[in-house]
């Protein structure tokens, strides 16, 4: 069993991007990312901080906008409009989740598709669907990089994805199709989940339930990618996969933490750099 080291691979990607950004600066182009945080949710603050650190390391200019959680939706939309119109801003990111009185879909759709480095805008999702150029949401893009840089053959393999969210499951399925995998998408209404999972050469789990996938869901020598992140009953970080029981059966598996997580920010940075290239 081989561990797929997301920390190491994300560090490689960041170093590659650092070189690209340095070259862009020499040619007089600066990459800048605007990050908007509404309210002070502790988890969101950690994410935003990690994004700022990554920007700093790579050489991307990071602009921070903190809005009070009681601010009106119009105030947020107005800020997005101003950033859309500002040619010095390449990427705009609104940290989710938003307070209840704000409509997430409306806010995401307000970001210009050309600056939507999260890859959530319906135009970018549509572009992925029909194979046109656009931003790809960062977690699924990160999974593809993990597989490729760990020498996992994707073409012709059976990939089972558990979860059909707009942020992970659906774009993941489209990306695996693009890489010529045969794709099955499972979800909460899937019958015979265990049997289907056991057919997977590559099993990607984004189900949102701690340690849900045990050894009897996994065929021998499969590659398992765990997108989930939770705290277990002992307050230890764990994923959607029961690592202890599943890892001995796999050829390759991502740990939690240190697997998919670091890749999400690396691919966000990649999208920011792509916005200038």
């Amino acid at each position: 069993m081989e561990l797929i080291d997301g920390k190491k691979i994300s560090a490689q990607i960041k170093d590659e991007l650092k070189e690209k950004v340095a070259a862009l600066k020499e040619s007089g182009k600066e990459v800048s990312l605007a990050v908007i945080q509404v309210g002070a949710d502790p988890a969101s603050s950690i994410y935003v901080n990690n994004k700022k650190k990554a920007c700093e390391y790579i050489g991307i200019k990071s602009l921070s906008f903190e809005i009070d959680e009681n601010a009106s939706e119009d105030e947020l939309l107005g800020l997005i409009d101003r950033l859309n119109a500002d040619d010095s801003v390449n990427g705009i990111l609104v940290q989710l989740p938003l307070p209840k009185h704000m409509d997430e879909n409306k806010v995401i759709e307000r970001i210009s598709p050309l600056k939507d480095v999260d890859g959530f805008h319906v135009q970018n999702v549509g572009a992925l669907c029909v194979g046109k150029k656009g931003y790809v949401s960062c977690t699924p893009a990160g999974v593809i990089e993990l597989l490729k840089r760990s020498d996992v053959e994707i073409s012709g393999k059976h990939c089972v994805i558990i979860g059909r969210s707009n942020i992970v499951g659906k774009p993941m399925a489209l990306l695996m199709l693009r890489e010529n995998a045969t794709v099955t998408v499972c979800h909460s209404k899937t019958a015979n989940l265990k049997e289907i999972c056991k057919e997977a050469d590559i099993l990607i789990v984004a189900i949102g339930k701690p340690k849900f996938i045990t050894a009897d869901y996994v065929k021998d020598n499969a590659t398992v990618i765990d997108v989930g992140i939770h705290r277990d009953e002992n307050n230890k970080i764990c994923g959607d996969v029961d690592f202890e029981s599943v890892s001995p059966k796999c050829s390759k598996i991502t740990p939690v933490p240190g697997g998919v997580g670091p890749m999400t920010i690396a691919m966000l940075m990649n999208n920011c750099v792509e916005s200038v290239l």
Side-chain angles (χ1 to χ4, degrees), residues 100-117:
K100 293 278 183 281
H101 65 281
M102 293 183 180
D103 180 342
E104 277 184 12
N105 288 330
K106 192 173 172 185
V107 169
I108 289 164
E109 295 310 312
R110 195 65 162 256
I111 298 169
S112 159
L114 301 173
K115 298 189 180 191
D116 161 48
V117 285

Side-chain angles (χ1 to χ4, degrees), residues 71-163:
S72 68
E73 184 179 89
D74 283 345
E75 200 174 316
L76 174 58
L77 295 173
L79 173 57
I80 292 169
D81 289 343
R82 289 196 297 283
L83 293 169
N84 280 338
D86 185 341
D87 290 339
S88 71
V89 173
N90 307 101
I92 302 170
L93 183 149
V94 176
Q95 185 63 44
L96 303 176
L98 291 172
K100 293 278 183 281
H101 65 281
M102 293 183 180
D103 180 342
E104 277 184 12
N105 288 330
K106 192 173 172 185
V107 169
I108 289 164
E109 295 310 312
R110 195 65 162 256
I111 298 169
S112 159
L114 301 173
K115 298 189 180 191
D116 161 48
V117 285
D118 255 336
F120 294 162
H121 192 286
V122 70
Q123 191 171 314
N124 284 318
V125 177
L128 175 61
C129 214
V130 295
K132 289 257 167 63
K133 195 170 160 46
Y135 294 113
V136 177
S137 52
C138 304
T139 300
V143 170
I144 295 289
E145 284 296 318
L146 280 180
L147 292 169
K148 287 184 170 178
R149 290 174 187 240
S150 304
D151 300 316
V152 175
E153 181 70 41
I154 302 175
S155 183
K157 299 296 184 209
H158 185 193
C159 171
V160 174
I161 297 162
I162 314 179

Side-chain angles (χ1 to χ4, degrees), residues 74-252:
D74 283 345
E75 200 174 316
L76 174 58
L77 295 173
L79 173 57
I80 292 169
D81 289 343
R82 289 196 297 283
L83 293 169
N84 280 338
D86 185 341
D87 290 339
S88 71
V89 173
N90 307 101
I92 302 170
L93 183 149
V94 176
Q95 185 63 44
L96 303 176
L98 291 172
K100 293 278 183 281
H101 65 281
M102 293 183 180
D103 180 342
E104 277 184 12
N105 288 330
K106 192 173 172 185
V107 169
I108 289 164
E109 295 310 312
R110 195 65 162 256
I111 298 169
S112 159
L114 301 173
K115 298 189 180 191
D116 161 48
V117 285
D118 255 336
F120 294 162
H121 192 286
V122 70
Q123 191 171 314
N124 284 318
V125 177
L128 175 61
C129 214
V130 295
K132 289 257 167 63
K133 195 170 160 46
Y135 294 113
V136 177
S137 52
C138 304
T139 300
V143 170
I144 295 289
E145 284 296 318
L146 280 180
L147 292 169
K148 287 184 170 178
R149 290 174 187 240
S150 304
D151 300 316
V152 175
E153 181 70 41
I154 302 175
S155 183
K157 299 296 184 209
H158 185 193
C159 171
V160 174
I161 297 162
I162 314 179
R164 54 176 165 180
S165 72
N166 291 340
I167 290 174
V168 180
K170 287 177 190 166
M172 194 72 252
L174 292 165
L175 283 175
M176 291 303 277
L177 282 173
R178 193 162 86 178
E179 299 295 334
N180 300 316
T182 300
V183 179
T184 304
V185 180
C186 300
H187 44 79
S188 57
K189 300 285 189 284
T190 299
N192 310 329
L193 180 64
K194 203 172 278 188
E195 288 73 17
I196 296 168
C197 290
K198 285 188 90 150
E199 291 173 8
D201 303 307
I202 301 170
L203 181 64
I204 300 174
V205 189
I207 200 170
K209 292 181 178 177
K211 299 185 184 178
F212 183 85
I213 296 298
T214 49
D216 48 350
Y217 282 82
V218 180
K219 86 168 177 184
D220 288 342
N221 296 321
T223 295
V224 177
I225 304 286
D226 187 350
V227 182
I229 187 155
H230 316 274
R231 287 198 178 271
D232 67 12
E233 60 282 0
N234 306 316
N235 207 29
K236 275 186 72 176
I237 290 177
C238 67
D240 290 350
V241 174
D242 180 23
F243 188 86
E244 297 302 312
S245 74
V246 170
S247 53
K249 288 188 85 171
C250 302
S251 64
K252 301 186 181 195

Side-chain angles (χ1 to χ4, degrees), residues 21-36:
V21 168
L24 283 166
K25 277 187 179 161
E26 277 185 23
S27 68
K29 289 179 180 169
E30 180 155 54
V31 186
S32 77
L33 170 68
V35 180
I36 303 170

